[in-house]
């Protein structure tokens, strides 16, 4: 991991994203690029733009002073940079930046109090569109163990799902080594309890579990434990994460196409929406 883009929180906030990025940079030697967004919508209105010019300049100037103070407060890795961005669309700017600059990871604090499924609209647009892995951080003071859980898709008869699982495991393996954390995996089969109790189903799930284990073995990544559960994935996957007090969950993106299938389908959207810890979205 060499380059990390950090979308800073607004001033007076906790700067959770920066804290996560600094930890990764310390362990990996990566350089950080910090960006702080500021924008005043009135500046784009033709009838008001001239009168707002001084206000806009003052806003950028004040944010620049804050960013300088922030860099003095936190010890950034050598070669790191920071800038104030005047832009109304964080997602659009981020995509343009990634087109022109090599980047291994984007880190941002999650807007857990807003929007559908617990995330804000900016978060969902980043989830849907970024070509780079995205770390959405939340304040998780209750986390007790350095443990990362990779959510795997059990539909391993589909080569695309297998490839996505491999990418999730690969990033999970990298992060677990950097953070000295245990890596576990979880695969959930979405069936009703009546079906799960059938002897025939139990026989078939045994074979499926072996197939999931093979996917993990083929990845070359060491998982200390695989949780194989049945039920509603959003509830069961997050139950595993919460019960083990994991610091992060990895979820893959990119198998299905179209507006309703930007992740592993609506299932992954529900998993993310109910997550109580950091989430990493793997494209």
């Amino acid at each position: 991991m060499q380059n990390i883009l950090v979308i800073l929180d607004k001033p007076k906030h906790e700067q959770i994203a920066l804290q996560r990025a600094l930890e990764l940079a310390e362990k990996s030697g990566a350089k950080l690029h910090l960006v702080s967004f500021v924008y005043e919508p009135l500046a784009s209105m033709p009838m008001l733009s001239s009168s707002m010019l001084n206000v806009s300049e003052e806003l950028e100037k004040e944010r620049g002073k804050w960013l300088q103070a922030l860099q003095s407060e936190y010890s950034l890795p050598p070669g790191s940079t920071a800038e104030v961005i005047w832009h109304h669309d964080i997602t659009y700017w981020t995509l343009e930046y990634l087109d022109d600059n090599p980047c291994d990871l984007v880190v941002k604090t999650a807007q857990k109090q807003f929007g559908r499924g617990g995330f804000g609209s900016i978060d969902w647009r980043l989830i849907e569109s970024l070509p780079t892995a995205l770390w959405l951080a939340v304040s998780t003071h209750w986390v007790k163990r350095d443990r990362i859980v990779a959510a795997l898709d059990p539909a391993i008869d589909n080569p695309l799902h297998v490839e996505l699982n491999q990418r999730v495991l690969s990033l999970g393996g990298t992060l677990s080594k950097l953070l000295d954390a245990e890596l576990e995996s979880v695969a959930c089969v979405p069936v009703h309890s009546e079906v799960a109790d059938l002897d025939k189903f139990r026989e078939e799930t045994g074979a499926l579990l072996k197939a999931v284990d093979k996917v993990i073995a083929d990845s070359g990544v060491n998982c200390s434990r695989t949780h194989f559960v049945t039920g509603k994935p959003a509830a069961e996957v997050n139950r595993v994460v919460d019960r083990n007090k994991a610091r992060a969950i990895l979820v893959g993106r990119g198998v299905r196409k179209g507006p309703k299938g930007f992740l592993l389908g609506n299932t992954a959207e529900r998993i993310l929406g109910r997550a109580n810890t950091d989430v990493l979205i793997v494209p």
Side-chain angles (χ1 to χ4, degrees), residues 8 14 20 36 43 91-92 118 125 128 139 158-159 162 179 183 195 201 212 215 227-228 239 248 270:
L8 294 170
E14 194 175 348
R20 298 291 191 276
S36 180
T91 303
Y92 182 85
R125 290 183 61 209
E128 292 172 350
S139 181
N158 186 327
V162 173
L179 301 173
L183 177 65
V195 177
F201 178 78
V212 171
V215 170
H227 304 268
F228 195 79
R239 185 174 289 118
R270 289 192 290 270

Side-chain angles (χ1 to χ4, degrees), residues 42-62:
L42 291 177
S44 63
M45 295 184 178
M47 299 298 293
L48 299 175
S49 58
S50 58
S51 61
M52 288 299 298
L53 182 60
N54 291 337
V55 176
S56 302
E57 291 177 349
E58 188 63 27
L59 287 173
E60 287 190 81
K61 182 179 178 181
E62 289 301 314

Side-chain angles (χ1 to χ4, degrees), residues 74-89:
Y74 293 91
S75 179
L76 300 184
S80 296
T81 54
E83 62 177 324
V84 175
I85 303 296
W86 180 274
H87 205 289
H88 70 285
D89 192 325

Side-chain angles (χ1 to χ4, degrees), residues 15 30 33 39 56 110 132 155 158 186 252 256 265 268 275:
Q15 300 304 323
H33 182 60
Y39 188 71
S56 302
T132 301
N158 186 327
V186 56
R256 293 175 57 190

Side-chain angles (χ1 to χ4, degrees), residues 130-200:
L130 287 196
T132 301
L134 170 66
W135 185 318
L136 291 174
V138 298
S139 181
T140 51
H141 302 297
W142 55 269
V143 169
K144 301 297 183 183
R145 299 179 181 177
D146 279 332
R147 179 170 293 166
I148 298 172
V149 177
L152 303 181
D153 192 321
I156 55 176
D157 56 333
N158 186 327
L160 292 176
H161 290 207
V162 173
E163 291 175 10
L164 185 58
N165 284 338
Q166 296 284 4
R167 294 199 297 274
V168 170
L169 288 165
S170 177
L171 181 58
T174 298
L175 292 174
S176 65
K177 290 179 180 178
L178 287 176
L179 301 173
D180 193 22
E182 290 185 42
L183 177 65
E184 297 185 357
S185 61
V186 56
C188 181
V189 178
V191 298
H192 294 290
S193 57
E194 293 83 357
V195 177
D197 290 335
L198 296 177
D199 291 338
K200 180 63 175 177

